[in-house]
Amino acid sequence: MQFRAPIDAIAPGCLIIYSLTECSLNYCSFKSNVFKTQEVTFADTKETIVKGGRDLFPLLPKAFEGIKKIGVIGWGSQAPAQAQNLRDSLAEVGSDITVSIGLRKGSSSFSEANECGFSEEAGTLGEMFDVIKESDLVILLISDAAQATLYKEIFAAMKPGATLGLSHGFLLGYLDSIGESFPENMDVIAVCPKGMGPSVRRLYEQGKDVNGAGINSSFAVHQDKSGKATELALGWGVALGSPFMFETTLRSEYCSDIYGERGILLGAVHGIVESLYRRYQRQGMTPEQAFLETSESITGKIVKIISTQGIKAVYEQFNDADKAEFQKAYSASYMPAKEILQEIYDEVSSGNEIRTVIMHGKRINKFPVGKIDGTDTWIVGEKVRANRDEDKIPINPFTAGVYIATMMAQIDVLLEAGHPYSEVVNESVIEAVDSLCPYMHYRGVAFMVDNCSFTAKTGSRKWAPRFDYILDQLAYTAVDNGVPVNQQLIKDFEQHPVHSAVEECCKLRPAVDISLFAETSTKEIVIQ
């Protein structure tokens, strides 16, 4: 059963937790005996958070009390980042906790783990099930498909009293879909960085001389048999370098996360760029100018304003003529985008989207996933990036209107489903502008699709064409046919309470901007 409620019907500071079978209200307010919590006002609600920072590292031994060995299982993108950050943070305060990597026997990633300082000789690298058996905290970062295949063996291998750590709620979604659950005799927690692994590591390294530089994380305590699960989850987030951590649930996380990557984080932005790139050429632009006015405008200028000043700041910097152009695009795009976004949310929350990923995984050997970076859009994009002058990238008001209308529609779908502002803003805004879009700007949107996790890739490739189609068929057609601007939609946008929530989150953003350079040739960028 799915629960929807208007945001004003939800008590301040509440989080709706929903599953396939039941709905219940739980207040998202938590306590910690180790870390200082604080109450933050996001729009019309108050939420409890923990602000991270390197000054909190001396508290890590207490948060990790009882943990002697942490096993980080896998080596995609999150795993190397999290393992190195955990290792470095704990070492900085003289902790004797061992951080070990567990990999499939014969995995080619053994050499990469060696290069990052993990070794079999030192007891910090080994076969995955051997590491699982020895670990007090098992951080499971193998692919979603592998988790769905191996979960029974993993649960059986864990020693009594060990804690299972996740960075994504997919496994719970899969267990929900088949009527199973986690073993009752273990703690189950999650720390979910709101960005890619390379961002988690890069900002951590950049922040070694800057307190509070990293990627925001949500955390969840799904099962707490020991009574220590919250402290352990918060310690994990602090050790990763998260500037702030907010509470969620595993179900809420997988619904918002899987939904978000199909929306404005990846799938929607891909569809927006492709549709506008063609539109602008029909209007007489060269391919190079069309790419500048679409992809470059979004990833190079629009998101940078949103990152530091908020969503509405993009609109407010336009002159009257450009505001009118923004309004036309926003008014025409909001409802078509929301129609698709609501469908995506329904597919995710019902379990259908998770089943789609699993079924796709079973077909993968017969139908390998090809790359999508060969279209004219992305070939031209390579040329534009090679000759880029950042100062000459335009802020196209029509492009901004389409992009922001889609972002706002995604926000509204999440708010109407009862997600708290912290989660809504991080999954719809912060992750886009502070983590994913900088990489898109560096390597291209198609590169992101081709190199993201299987779950994200499956979803973005499925839904991006839907955004492309509906915008081209409904939104742009409405503009071309002179359909009047819906002034109520514009007023709703101007007065939306999310703007103050975004501005509050901007104050809690990473202390430095992520830097990207040539060595960023990650073999797989995993969006979690």
Side-chain angles (χ1 to χ4, degrees):
M1 177 169 61
Q2 188 175 329
F3 179 87
R4 298 201 189 288
I7 194 66
D8 59 2
I10 302 169
C14 287
L15 168 65
I16 299 291
I17 301 175
Y18 39 84
S19 70
L20 302 179
T21 58
E22 62 180 9
C23 307
S24 60
L25 275 172
N26 283 271
Y27 287 89
C28 52
S29 178
F30 61 92
K31 295 180 180 179
S32 172
N33 295 319
V34 177
F35 300 102
K36 179 182 178 181
T37 63
Q38 66 181 79
E39 205 171 63
V40 178
T41 299
F42 292 121
D44 51 2
T45 67
K46 291 185 183 297
E47 297 182 34
T48 303
I49 68 166
V50 165
K51 286 191 68 174
R54 306 186 79 85
D55 59 309
L56 300 183
F57 285 6
L59 299 176
L60 293 177
K62 187 174 181 181
F64 283 90
E65 189 175 7
I67 302 296
K68 295 298 183 184
K69 183 167 185 174
I70 299 171
V72 178
I73 311 304
W75 195 263
S77 171
Q78 283 289 332
Q82 292 199 33
Q84 291 178 87
N85 289 13
L86 282 164
R87 178 195 62 193
D88 294 353
S89 297
L90 291 166
E92 189 169 313
V93 293
S95 171
D96 60 357
I97 296 173
T98 300
V99 178
S100 299
I101 302 295
L103 301 173
R104 288 180 294 103
K105 187 175 182 180
S107 169
S108 60
S109 297
F110 271 84
S111 60
E112 294 177 28
N114 281 148
E115 292 173 7
C116 292
F118 299 96
S119 69
E120 293 172 275
E121 294 76 17
T124 57
L125 176 62
E127 192 275 331
M128 63 180 287
F129 285 104
D130 290 339
V131 173
I132 289 170
K133 290 173 184 177
E134 299 167 354
S135 299
D136 303 297
L137 169 60
V138 176
I139 299 178
L140 190 63
L141 299 178
I142 58 178
S143 71
D144 294 335
Q147 289 186 31
T149 300
L150 299 173
Y151 72 95
K152 289 183 179 180
E153 295 172 66
I154 292 166
F155 296 163
M158 291 177 63
K159 66 182 184 180
T163 297
L164 177 65
L166 303 165
S167 283
H168 190 17
F170 184 94
L171 182 55
L172 174 63
Y174 176 69
L175 294 176
D176 278 345
S177 73
I178 60 174
E180 295 191 26
S181 59
F182 295 103
E184 295 182 358
N185 63 347
M186 64 171 65
D187 286 0
V188 180
I189 62 175
V191 171
C192 309
K194 300 296 106 180
M196 306 172 300
S199 303
V200 173
R201 182 59 179 170
R202 181 64 52 78
L203 279 168
Y204 178 91
E205 291 181 306
Q206 286 178 230
K208 286 184 176 178
D209 299 318
V210 181
N211 198 37
I215 291 291
N216 300 335
S217 295
S218 63
F219 80 93
V221 176
H222 187 71
Q223 291 182 179
D224 185 5
K225 301 301 178 183
S226 68
K228 301 177 181 178
T230 296
E231 308 295 8
L232 182 55
L234 290 172
W236 176 6
V238 167
L240 293 184
S242 300
F244 85 91
M245 286 153 286
F246 60 93
E247 189 180 24
T248 185
T249 69
L250 269 183
R251 285 194 179 88
S252 187
E253 195 282 330
Y254 81 69
C255 281
S256 61
D257 186 89
I258 295 174
Y259 162 77
E261 65 197 19
R262 282 144 177 76
I264 202 64
L265 299 184
L266 193 56
V269 71
H270 187 201
I272 289 168
V273 170
E274 289 277 17
S275 64
L276 285 176
Y277 177 74
R278 297 192 308 272
R279 175 178 174 80
Y280 291 157
Q281 288 184 80
R282 291 196 300 270
Q283 294 176 337
M285 289 187 189
T286 64
E288 290 76 14
Q289 188 64 30
F291 192 84
L292 272 173
E293 302 285 347
T294 54
S295 186
E296 293 286 277
S297 184
I298 291 171
T299 65
K301 285 290 177 70
I302 293 170
V303 300
K304 290 182 179 179
I305 295 173
I306 295 173
S307 173
T308 56
Q309 301 173 54
I311 302 170
K312 196 162 63 169
V314 177
Y315 174 67
E316 291 175 337
Q317 59 91 47
F318 290 132
N319 59 32
D320 289 345
D322 285 345
K323 277 187 177 178
E325 194 71 8
F326 175 99
Q327 289 179 4
K328 285 194 298 185
Y330 185 99
S331 174
S333 302
Y334 176 87
M335 285 307 297
K338 192 175 183 184
E339 177 186 334
I340 299 298
L341 287 158
Q342 186 64 67
E343 184 181 353
I344 295 171
Y345 191 89
D346 292 343
E347 290 294 295
V348 173
S349 60
S350 69
N352 286 346
E353 196 68 15
I354 288 175
R355 284 187 283 270
T356 294
V357 173
I358 297 298
M359 289 188 291
H360 191 183
K362 293 177 180 178
R363 297 191 299 267
I364 199 69
N365 290 331
K366 189 175 181 180
F367 303 104
V369 178
K371 291 188 175 183
I372 60 167
D373 62 357
T375 67
D376 180 65
T377 312
W378 310 114
I379 292 173
V380 168
E382 288 183 12
K383 299 175 184 177
V384 172
R385 287 193 300 275
N387 298 290
R388 176 187 288 155
D389 183 339
E390 293 282 353
D391 294 333
K392 293 182 179 179
I393 295 175
I395 305 177
N396 185 294
F398 195 92
T399 298
V402 177
Y403 180 76
I404 289 176
T406 306
M407 179 177 281
M408 293 298 293
Q410 175 163 317
I411 287 168
D412 284 341
V413 168
L414 286 173
L415 288 175
E416 289 162 11
H419 292 261
Y421 276 100
S422 55
E423 187 161 63
V424 172
V425 172
N426 272 278
E427 294 287 5
S428 303
V429 184
I430 303 301
E431 186 167 356
V433 303
D434 283 338
S435 180
L436 303 187
C437 279
Y439 276 88
M440 292 179 187
H441 194 55
Y442 182 69
R443 297 296 299 270
V445 179
F447 176 85
M448 286 290 300
V449 174
D450 285 337
N451 292 277
C452 64
S453 71
F454 184 75
T455 300
K457 184 185 301 185
T458 299
S460 61
R461 288 165 65 106
K462 173 182 175 181
W463 292 99
R466 294 286 302 280
F467 284 101
D468 184 336
Y469 179 86
I470 204 166
L471 290 169
D472 201 42
Q473 296 293 316
L474 297 183
Y476 309 153
T477 302
V479 172
D480 295 341
N481 289 339
V483 174
V485 170
N486 184 328
Q487 293 299 332
Q488 186 59 52
L489 275 179
I490 301 304
K491 183 178 180 181
D492 290 344
F493 165 70
E494 292 174 337
Q495 299 178 355
H496 202 295
V498 80
H499 296 309
S500 62
V502 172
E503 289 165 10
E504 192 64 36
C505 282
C506 285
K507 299 175 187 176
L508 299 166
R509 72 185 295 276
V512 295
D513 292 324
I514 188 168
S515 67
L516 300 169
F517 44 86
E519 67 100 26
T520 309
S521 57
T522 315
K523 71 171 186 177
E524 180 176 283
I525 295 175
V526 181
I527 302 172
Q528 296 276 39

